[in-house]
Amino acid sequence: MSQKLDSKIPAGNLADKWTQYRSSVSLVNPANKRNLEVIVVGTGLAGASAAATLAEMGYKVKAFCFQDSPRRAHSIAAQGGINAAKNYQNDGDSVYRLFYDTIKGGDYRAREANVHRLAEVSTNIIDQCVAQGVPFAREYGGTLSNRSFGGTQVQRTFYAAGQTGQQLLLGAYSALERQVGVGNVKMYTRHEMIEVVTIDGKARGIIARDLVSGKLERHFGHAVLLCTGGYGNVFYLSTNAMGSNVTAAWKAHKAGAYFANPCFTQIHPTCIPVSGHYQSKLTLMSESLRNDGRIWVPKAKGDKRHPNDIPEEERDYYLERRYPAFGNLVPRDVASRAAKERCDAGYGVGSSGMAVYLDFRYNMMNKYGRAEATKAGIENPDEATLFRLGKEVVKEKYGNLFDMYKQITDEDPYEVPMRIYPAVHYTMGGLWVDYELQTTVPGLYALGEANFSDHGANRLGASALMQGLADGYFVIPYTVGSYLSKEIHTKAIDTQHEAFEDAEKRASERIEKLMSIQGKRSVESYHRELGLIMWDKCGMARSEAGLKQAIDEIRALREDFYKNVRIPGKINEFNPELDKAGRVADFLELGELMCLDALNRNESCGGHFREEYQTEEGEALRDDEQYAYVAAWENTGEGWNLHKEDLQYENIKIQQRSYK
Amino acid sequence: MKLLSFLFTSSIGRKLIMALTGLFLCLFLIVHLIGNLQLFKADGGYAFNHYAWFMTSNPLIKTVSWGLYAMIILHAVKGIYLAMQNRKAREVSYGVNGGSSNSTWSSRNMAILGSIIFIFIGIHMGDFWREYKFGDEITWKSYTQDYNTQEVTWADYTPVEGQKIYAKDIEGGHMLVAKDLYVEVWESFKQPWIVLIYVLSMLALSFHLLHGFQSAFQTLGVNHPSYSPIIQFIGRAFAILVPLGFAAIPLYVLFQ
Amino acid sequence: MSDTLNINLKVWRQANGNEKGKFESYQVQANPDMSFLEMFDVLNEQLIEDGREPVAFDHDCREGICGMCSMVINGRPHGPKQGVTTCQLHMRSFKDGDTVVVEPWRASAFPVIKDLSVDRGAFDRIIAAGGYVSVNTGNAVDANSILIPKDVADKAFEAATCIGCGACVSACKNASAMLFVGAKVTQLSMLPQGQAERESRVVAMVNQMDAEGFGACTNTGACAAECPKEIPLSVIATLNREYTSAKLKGR
């Protein structure tokens, strides 16, 4: 293990580590807390909950978001739910089971101690959210309702219709605004962090750009918390928000924070496919649809007939064919890769040929229609009756999703099969952090999707919300104290300090450089091209040759970007194109690192699938001997150095996942 | 009093004043209409003039009527103030306004409708109320009603200096000496342009009530899936029937 | 359906809050399957190519939940369709040759930043004034010790689905924020967790709402009709009731 990568995992039994840590971690007394300033960048679940909680404890907090309000952070778009080991359903759930499912779901590439802590605090999260007035779904008796999610055998997912992320974020946002109201948090909206300021190796503040005036601002903090989400937008098309970016994390990386497992990205199999070159983002269709939908493509290449005109014997239900045991319910990564394989081979459907059918007709008529007909005592029902009866059942189960699909595509999925295709929607990789969520830069922390810590190579459904809130509400308030307790003698540093001066100069030179290019191509066109390279060569399936080629292409594209990009407008004004240019410039560097990491990892695990490393049946082939480590990349300015944190599994036996 | 200061200092408080005064004025409309319907009686104006006398002389009614004037002023002044405040809340107006697709015409034009009604009240009071109370243009009549037959007889009456209107019981009947507002009204409504003003004003009142009646309940916080439809129905009926009743009188007189 | 739609756009252009704005006309070729915002992406690429300033507009999640997109399209916030945000409005709702007028939210409390972008910070300040339950992290009791009947939870959820986009303000002829405030007050006044601060909350939020310069509600119902999340008008009645009763109790 690298010298610099001290994960600071407490000694002792797995189940006692967190309790012992909390009991022994240094504390900061209330009088001193008032003199300690904490900067929180990002106001999603992790950022809002951290800022609110730290302010409640008495720290002086400054919070930043690039959106016009903290409530708009992309956590708001999470649909499904949030896991917690409450065992309210009495179905045998426990902290250990949640821990075990998460490690296994992550294909054995996550850190045991962190994940166990996550499972432990999961129950507190639900309590806290309910106390805030988050309107979770309830049973008639007034107790909380649960549903099941992929990768688990228990019902532990709490939800608020299809808007769980929204309700949780609004809870955290209201807690944050409460602290803004009483003056403990100073909120900076439409501000983007573009530099980390370090003094004597410690993070001491940030340079932020006021996106309305375009002016650069210096902000001091005894500690800096990055809660800035994932980098899925490096693919241009993803389920992320348009503004989601890697810039804050990337600037931290360039200031010395290691970036871990950047190639671990999750591709969700059921999204509405791209409809044209103008497409700006992709929309998820809940995974639950695969319970009743059958996935198929025509048996003949380039078959342009209407799906309802293609007879049964000319359809290829490829998942059922390849995975007879699991059929349409294979895990996300497998389903995604299989769809890509069919489309690449020329069997894809829709105008672009990059989609497969998700067809409800069979189950609607034969499963639900027949059952309903039997209930109603109809003998030998005709097709129309089966269809009518089955449709009612499907409507009840998935009505809102069907409506959303129709809204976007103008096709009625009751009549015509849905067209779906995989899309990027979460990144497991991120800034390397230790047990305290501190990056390799002292005083600089990363929370939520911005760090790498809890999901290994693949994230389970309903776990992202859990991690964001765990980090913000229940982990960082303790762990940041371990650092700040040693900082009580550090007076607030004047932002005239030369470190601030230098950082601001770096930032402003970068902006001026971008503005001075005045070439021919729009920022968007570079982003789109980068996305295509990433998607083709560092997406669902990767190969050595492809990745090497991608690195060359990204370098060339980056070079061209700095010669040919055109950014209209001025620096000191509201200029969304300039904001975007800064973000794309960072994606152009991150993309290379992702390919490098994917190239280094000569195995297939979770979301990372290397074509060279698969079983004869095309399954992912992990290499635990060689690659049971976290790849943490150090930026040298010229390139990257790899540091390895070996993963020790003391409480779980590593196994190969199998779906056959 | 401090408890109620919010009525004058907050947006919701001001709206409450609009709602409460508005509903009070609705009550007044009913009373006024019942009185006006006496005009249809072919009794030489006895019932109507008796009612007019009662309304202007009863001490309790007099007190209430001062309250009524205050309500009208308050409703109008607050309404104008709110309309001005509300205009300030949007300094640059839309190039294209889609109001018709999301709200009713009357709800968007309450201030204009209210102003029309306010001007009408001015004209109306100048026409009849001022004349009746302070003027000397109106002729007098004396009425006698026989209790047994309910028959009313009347005759012209010449008032003396400082003549007061009075009514008293006489043997076997009742007697009234009063200004003949009935004839005054009757003569006014023989002029088509006055009838036009009255009818148009009642149309404005109808639209004002169409939104105002149910809006007042919403402001008072009454909104319930079961009760709101009833309130809306009553509101609609009220907004159509009451102004129709008022407008019927000048039309009836004109076409008599 | 034709493959391309020729759209005549009239877009409000305003350099910043201090300068006066005006409409400018553009021609865009749109695909019926594009979202309205993607049509603006196309327009902006075109403008950048021509060396002109692209149109600034707010947008983020593009799946109808973040509440950032905010365009008044032909006089209606979020355009002609019921219950959708601008990002979920598709060009197939328009015809070839249509003239489409696009303006920002107009309200004194939402000053224009640039073109179609406005500052909705007033909403945050209203929430900061009282739109919360004061419960510090770590103070919570077990979640199932607070029993909430399903219908109450469902009703509270319905009010809580507000995305804070400001369409209600922009649709209201008085630029009133009552639907936004009413939604939050309704959610928290229905739930047992919100009872402790029930009265102080509504008073503080209404005070802030008034201070921000929003107009008063005249119950036109335009807000609820245009709300992309279809928050019902009844939340305003609830707000009126909660506020009046709190005031009469001396809050």
Side-chain angles (χ1 to χ4, degrees), chain B:
Chain B
M1 214 43 223
K2 194 166 166 284
L3 269 187
L4 295 177
S5 63
F6 78 98
L7 289 173
F8 298 91
T9 54
S10 74
S11 59
I12 295 180
R14 292 189 193 105
K15 285 299 299 171
L16 265 176
I17 290 185
M18 294 303 287
L20 292 170
T21 52
L23 286 177
F24 180 86
L25 295 176
C26 286
L27 274 179
F28 162 72
L29 286 178
I30 295 175
V31 176
H32 191 357
L33 182 61
I34 291 170
N36 285 14
L37 292 177
Q38 313 301 318
L39 279 163
F40 287 110
K41 279 195 176 171
D43 58 359
Y46 169 70
F48 183 73
N49 283 334
H50 204 287
Y51 152 78
W53 169 74
F54 176 76
M55 294 304 279
T56 47
S57 61
N58 183 297
L60 182 68
I61 301 282
K62 267 167 114 170
T63 320
V64 172
S65 66
W66 284 111
L68 171 71
Y69 305 143
M71 292 288 175
I72 293 174
I73 304 267
L74 197 59
H75 192 81
V77 168
K78 278 282 156 195
I80 290 165
Y81 176 80
L82 273 167
M84 276 161 42
Q85 285 290 107
N86 289 345
R87 279 185 87 88
K88 263 201 345 217
R90 175 168 295 129
E91 274 149 355
V92 182
S93 52
Y94 285 111
V96 177
N97 203 316
S100 55
S101 47
N102 54 36
S103 53
T104 59
W105 182 85
S106 55
S107 74
R108 295 193 306 277
N109 291 285
M110 290 298 277
I112 291 172
L113 292 167
S115 303
I116 294 172
I117 296 163
F118 191 67
I119 293 167
F120 165 75
I121 291 172
I123 297 172
H124 177 58
M125 287 181 78
D127 270 0
F128 300 126
W129 179 83
R130 189 180 56 81
E131 265 313 311
Y132 187 73
K133 287 211 79 143
F134 308 111
D136 50 10
E137 306 270 302
I138 304 177
T139 57
W140 289 66
K141 270 204 176 72
S142 81
Y143 298 89
T144 322
Q145 183 179 31
D146 188 307
Y147 276 159
N148 291 325
T149 60
Q150 289 292 314
E151 212 171 285
V152 180
T153 53
W154 60 87
D156 287 342
Y157 179 88
T158 315
V160 297
E161 184 77 18
Q163 173 74 48
K164 285 217 164 27
I165 298 169
Y166 68 92
K168 63 176 183 191
D169 287 333
I170 51 172
E171 205 184 313
H174 188 77
M175 166 179 182
L176 169 73
V177 172
K179 281 188 177 177
D180 192 358
L181 190 61
Y182 178 84
V183 161
E184 175 75 11
V185 170
W186 208 263
E187 278 170 6
S188 290
F189 289 161
K190 281 289 178 198
Q191 301 168 68
W193 65 273
I194 291 191
V195 173
L196 188 69
I197 289 177
Y198 272 68
V199 170
L200 286 180
S201 299
M202 287 309 105
L203 198 63
L205 177 65
S206 177
F207 278 108
H208 196 75
L209 288 171
L210 212 48
H211 176 66
F213 190 92
Q214 47 101 6
S215 172
F217 285 92
Q218 167 85 357
T219 299
L220 290 171
V222 182
N223 188 319
H224 188 278
S226 322
Y227 305 130
S228 290
I230 300 173
I231 292 173
Q232 271 162 22
F233 175 78
I234 295 172
R236 243 171 262 140
F238 189 90
I240 294 166
L241 294 179
V242 170
L244 199 66
F246 281 117
I249 293 158
L251 287 171
Y252 172 78
V253 173
L254 183 67
F255 295 110
Q256 253 292 331

Side-chain angles (χ1 to χ4, degrees), chain A residues 554-628:
Chain A
I554 293 167
R555 284 179 181 163
L557 186 65
R558 197 164 60 215
E559 202 172 309
D560 190 65
F561 175 83
Y562 283 103
K563 277 190 198 138
N564 254 323
V565 73
R566 172 186 283 179
I567 304 163
K570 295 187 279 290
I571 293 173
N572 284 329
E573 66 172 7
F574 187 65
N575 189 344
E577 282 297 312
L578 176 56
D579 311 343
K580 197 157 64 182
R583 295 168 193 165
V584 172
D586 292 332
F587 281 136
L588 282 165
E589 295 178 11
L590 166 75
E592 182 178 341
L593 178 61
M594 287 170 71
C595 293
L596 192 64
D597 185 45
L599 198 55
N600 168 70
R601 194 168 281 277
N602 290 315
E603 64 162 351
S604 295
C605 64
H608 170 66
F609 187 82
R610 280 281 299 273
E611 283 164 356
E612 304 93 322
Y613 305 99
Q614 52 182 310
T615 62
E616 275 172 30
E617 297 92 8
E619 299 310 323
L621 191 60
R622 236 173 39 222
D623 183 351
D624 296 324
E625 285 288 308
Q626 308 255 2
Y627 292 97

Side-chain angles (χ1 to χ4, degrees), chain A residues 17 52 76:
Chain A
K17 284 180 198 286
I76 200 124

Side-chain angles (χ1 to χ4, degrees), chain A residues 38 76-77 89 98 131 180 249 293 296 353 432 450 468 481 503 562 590 596 660:
Chain A
V38 181
I76 200 124
Q89 304 307 319
L98 176 52
V180 172
W296 63 275
W432 184 91
Y562 283 103
L590 166 75
L596 192 64
K660 300 214 170 197

